[in-house]
PDB file of all heavy atoms in Angstrom:
ATOM      1  N   VAL E 285       8.494  20.794  25.171  1.00 92.00           N
ATOM      2  CA  VAL E 285       8.210  20.420  23.803  1.00 92.00           C
ATOM      3  C   VAL E 285       7.977  21.626  22.899  1.00 92.00           C
ATOM      4  O   VAL E 285       8.409  21.659  21.754  1.00 92.00           O
ATOM      5  CB  VAL E 285       6.962  19.475  23.781  1.00 92.00           C
ATOM      6  CG1 VAL E 285       6.642  19.081  22.322  1.00 92.00           C
ATOM      7  CG2 VAL E 285       7.219  18.229  24.618  1.00 92.00           C
ATOM      8  N   ALA E 286       7.266  22.667  23.450  1.00 93.00           N
ATOM      9  CA  ALA E 286       7.083  23.873  22.683  1.00 93.00           C
ATOM     10  C   ALA E 286       8.405  24.544  22.306  1.00 93.00           C
ATOM     11  O   ALA E 286       8.533  25.005  21.195  1.00 93.00           O
ATOM     12  CB  ALA E 286       6.215  24.849  23.486  1.00 93.00           C
ATOM     13  N   MET E 287       9.399  24.527  23.233  1.00 90.00           N
ATOM     14  CA  MET E 287      10.689  25.042  22.858  1.00 90.00           C
ATOM     15  C   MET E 287      11.377  24.222  21.793  1.00 90.00           C
ATOM     16  O   MET E 287      12.085  24.719  20.885  1.00 90.00           O
ATOM     17  CB  MET E 287      11.533  25.126  24.110  1.00 90.00           C
ATOM     18  CG  MET E 287      11.110  26.163  25.129  1.00 90.00           C
ATOM     19  SD  MET E 287      11.934  25.985  26.702  1.00 90.00           S
ATOM     20  CE  MET E 287      13.610  26.091  26.246  1.00 90.00           C
ATOM     21  N   ALA E 288      11.162  22.904  21.859  1.00 88.00           N
ATOM     22  CA  ALA E 288      11.835  22.023  20.916  1.00 88.00           C
ATOM     23  C   ALA E 288      11.269  22.181  19.524  1.00 88.00           C
ATOM     24  O   ALA E 288      12.027  22.118  18.535  1.00 88.00           O
ATOM     25  CB  ALA E 288      11.692  20.541  21.347  1.00 88.00           C
ATOM     26  N   VAL E 289      10.015  22.457  19.356  1.00 89.00           N
ATOM     27  CA  VAL E 289       9.395  22.595  18.074  1.00 89.00           C
ATOM     28  C   VAL E 289       9.175  24.003  17.666  1.00 89.00           C
ATOM     29  O   VAL E 289       8.640  24.322  16.583  1.00 89.00           O
ATOM     30  CB  VAL E 289       7.991  21.832  17.988  1.00 89.00           C
ATOM     31  CG1 VAL E 289       8.171  20.363  18.306  1.00 89.00           C
ATOM     32  CG2 VAL E 289       7.010  22.493  18.946  1.00 89.00           C
ATOM     33  N   GLY E 290       9.612  24.984  18.527  1.00 87.00           N
ATOM     34  CA  GLY E 290       9.490  26.366  18.142  1.00 87.00           C
ATOM     35  C   GLY E 290       8.139  26.981  18.162  1.00 87.00           C
ATOM     36  O   GLY E 290       7.809  27.789  17.321  1.00 87.00           O
ATOM     37  N   GLU E 291       7.297  26.549  19.084  1.00 90.00           N
ATOM     38  CA  GLU E 291       5.908  27.019  19.135  1.00 90.00           C
ATOM     39  C   GLU E 291       5.757  28.131  20.201  1.00 90.00           C
ATOM     40  O   GLU E 291       5.739  27.851  21.377  1.00 90.00           O
ATOM     41  CB  GLU E 291       4.955  25.834  19.515  1.00 90.00           C
ATOM     42  CG  GLU E 291       3.511  26.162  19.448  1.00 90.00           C
ATOM     43  CD  GLU E 291       3.070  26.586  18.052  1.00 90.00           C
ATOM     44  OE1 GLU E 291       3.758  26.278  17.099  1.00 90.00           O
ATOM     45  OE2 GLU E 291       2.018  27.199  17.953  1.00 90.00           O
ATOM     46  N   VAL E 292       5.687  29.344  19.753  1.00 92.00           N
ATOM     47  CA  VAL E 292       5.672  30.506  20.640  1.00 92.00           C
ATOM     48  C   VAL E 292       4.397  30.654  21.379  1.00 92.00           C
ATOM     49  O   VAL E 292       4.353  30.903  22.607  1.00 92.00           O
ATOM     50  CB  VAL E 292       6.022  31.798  19.849  1.00 92.00           C
ATOM     51  CG1 VAL E 292       5.999  33.012  20.743  1.00 92.00           C
ATOM     52  CG2 VAL E 292       7.362  31.653  19.115  1.00 92.00           C
ATOM     53  N   ALA E 293       3.263  30.422  20.667  1.00 91.00           N
ATOM     54  CA  ALA E 293       1.946  30.629  21.333  1.00 91.00           C
ATOM     55  C   ALA E 293       1.745  29.626  22.448  1.00 91.00           C
ATOM     56  O   ALA E 293       1.229  30.052  23.522  1.00 91.00           O
ATOM     57  CB  ALA E 293       0.859  30.474  20.261  1.00 91.00           C
ATOM     58  N   ILE E 294       2.095  28.389  22.259  1.00 93.00           N
ATOM     59  CA  ILE E 294       1.923  27.408  23.309  1.00 93.00           C
ATOM     60  C   ILE E 294       2.853  27.710  24.475  1.00 93.00           C
ATOM     61  O   ILE E 294       2.491  27.482  25.654  1.00 93.00           O
ATOM     62  CB  ILE E 294       2.196  25.992  22.753  1.00 93.00           C
ATOM     63  CG1 ILE E 294       1.109  25.611  21.743  1.00 93.00           C
ATOM     64  CG2 ILE E 294       2.211  24.920  23.867  1.00 93.00           C
ATOM     65  CD1 ILE E 294      -0.301  25.592  22.303  1.00 93.00           C
ATOM     66  N   LEU E 295       4.035  28.175  24.246  1.00 93.00           N
ATOM     67  CA  LEU E 295       4.931  28.520  25.317  1.00 93.00           C
ATOM     68  C   LEU E 295       4.425  29.676  26.143  1.00 93.00           C
ATOM     69  O   LEU E 295       4.454  29.651  27.369  1.00 93.00           O
ATOM     70  CB  LEU E 295       6.318  28.900  24.745  1.00 93.00           C
ATOM     71  CG  LEU E 295       7.386  29.246  25.816  1.00 93.00           C
ATOM     72  CD1 LEU E 295       7.654  28.094  26.740  1.00 93.00           C
ATOM     73  CD2 LEU E 295       8.674  29.690  25.127  1.00 93.00           C
ATOM     74  N   GLY E 296       3.783  30.655  25.512  1.00 92.00           N
ATOM     75  CA  GLY E 296       3.206  31.744  26.266  1.00 92.00           C
ATOM     76  C   GLY E 296       1.990  31.276  27.073  1.00 92.00           C
ATOM     77  O   GLY E 296       1.824  31.687  28.222  1.00 92.00           O
ATOM     78  N   SER E 297       1.139  30.431  26.462  1.00 93.00           N
ATOM     79  CA  SER E 297       0.000  29.922  27.270  1.00 93.00           C
ATOM     80  C   SER E 297       0.459  29.069  28.425  1.00 93.00           C
ATOM     81  O   SER E 297      -0.098  29.111  29.524  1.00 93.00           O
ATOM     82  CB  SER E 297      -0.885  29.094  26.324  1.00 93.00           C
ATOM     83  OG  SER E 297      -1.335  29.835  25.220  1.00 93.00           O
ATOM     84  N   THR E 298       1.491  28.305  28.236  1.00 93.00           N
ATOM     85  CA  THR E 298       2.019  27.494  29.301  1.00 93.00           C
ATOM     86  C   THR E 298       2.580  28.318  30.433  1.00 93.00           C
ATOM     87  O   THR E 298       2.460  27.998  31.599  1.00 93.00           O
ATOM     88  CB  THR E 298       3.099  26.529  28.758  1.00 93.00           C
ATOM     89  OG1 THR E 298       2.555  25.817  27.663  1.00 93.00           O
ATOM     90  CG2 THR E 298       3.541  25.560  29.815  1.00 93.00           C
ATOM     91  N   THR E 299       3.204  29.447  30.090  1.00 93.00           N
ATOM     92  CA  THR E 299       3.758  30.339  31.086  1.00 93.00           C
ATOM     93  C   THR E 299       2.615  30.895  31.978  1.00 93.00           C
ATOM     94  O   THR E 299       2.729  30.916  33.214  1.00 93.00           O
ATOM     95  CB  THR E 299       4.504  31.461  30.452  1.00 93.00           C
ATOM     96  OG1 THR E 299       5.589  30.995  29.692  1.00 93.00           O
ATOM     97  CG2 THR E 299       5.035  32.452  31.504  1.00 93.00           C
ATOM     98  N   ALA E 300       1.537  31.319  31.331  1.00 93.00           N
ATOM     99  CA  ALA E 300       0.444  31.812  32.165  1.00 93.00           C
ATOM    100  C   ALA E 300      -0.214  30.774  32.987  1.00 93.00           C
ATOM    101  O   ALA E 300      -0.529  31.001  34.166  1.00 93.00           O
ATOM    102  CB  ALA E 300      -0.652  32.388  31.192  1.00 93.00           C
ATOM    103  N   ALA E 301      -0.365  29.544  32.477  1.00 93.00           N
ATOM    104  CA  ALA E 301      -0.941  28.427  33.258  1.00 93.00           C
ATOM    105  C   ALA E 301       0.006  28.031  34.428  1.00 93.00           C
ATOM    106  O   ALA E 301      -0.445  27.763  35.552  1.00 93.00           O
ATOM    107  CB  ALA E 301      -1.184  27.245  32.378  1.00 93.00           C
ATOM    108  N   THR E 302       1.302  28.102  34.187  1.00 93.00           N
ATOM    109  CA  THR E 302       2.256  27.743  35.246  1.00 93.00           C
ATOM    110  C   THR E 302       2.242  28.793  36.341  1.00 93.00           C
ATOM    111  O   THR E 302       2.324  28.471  37.537  1.00 93.00           O
ATOM    112  CB  THR E 302       3.674  27.639  34.660  1.00 93.00           C
ATOM    113  OG1 THR E 302       3.631  26.713  33.604  1.00 93.00           O
ATOM    114  CG2 THR E 302       4.675  27.145  35.718  1.00 93.00           C
ATOM    115  N   ALA E 303       2.122  30.078  35.932  1.00 92.00           N
ATOM    116  CA  ALA E 303       1.997  31.119  36.975  1.00 92.00           C
ATOM    117  C   ALA E 303       0.772  30.945  37.827  1.00 92.00           C
ATOM    118  O   ALA E 303       0.819  31.104  39.090  1.00 92.00           O
ATOM    119  CB  ALA E 303       2.011  32.513  36.258  1.00 92.00           C
TER     120      ALA E 303
END
Side-chain angles (χ1 to χ4, degrees):
V285 178
M287 291 168 56
V289 301
E291 186 62 19
V292 179
I294 293 299
L295 181 60
S297 303
T298 307
T299 300
T302 306

